[in-house]
Amino acid sequence: IAKGYIGDKAKEFLIEKGVKKALINLGGNVLVICPENDSLIIGIQDPNAQEGTLSGAISTNGNSLVTSGIYQRCFEYNGKLYHHILDTSTGYPVDNNLASVTIIGPESADCDALSTTVFCLGVEEGLKLINSLDGYEAVIITKDNETLFSDGINKTVEYRPASELN
């Protein structure tokens, strides 16, 4: 969560200096500063496709988006993918059907902790956790390319699939 905390501090500093619109990208942690009557569109990488291929995008004016996934910090050995999100009970990479979890919310440090937690919990328990928290939403993408959403997506946070992006 250090990267999320640093992002929150950078955002706080920029706001204190009078910055009205900014995008802070710390690689997997994106923070947005934007007036209430405006927004920025932040793409979500398709974890099952080539880098730069979007699965969709979130429109926001002040949230953080943090993604945890199996597609960047990883390697393949003897046909098995090893990634950096570890199961604390085994010491091996979490082995579930998830490819990525993006959390959207006001604090990047919290989003950072939640993205890894939701990933480790899996779809059912992860969505249950996010749906119990005010101000936080989730976009979960499985290894079979299914995209799942927390209850507030397209109610409090706008998501558009890649097919609707220009």
Side-chain angles (χ1 to χ4, degrees), residues 85-94 120:
I85 304 170
L86 303 180
D87 181 332
T88 57
S89 65
T90 66
Y92 285 96
V94 171
C120 292

Side-chain angles (χ1 to χ4, degrees), residues 3 11 13 15 17 37 40 71 108 121-122 136 157 159:
K3 195 173 5 172
K11 181 178 177 179
F13 174 80
I15 291 171
K17 296 298 180 188
N37 62 346
L40 292 176
Y71 55 94
S108 191
L121 288 172
Y136 291 89
V157 174
Y159 173 86

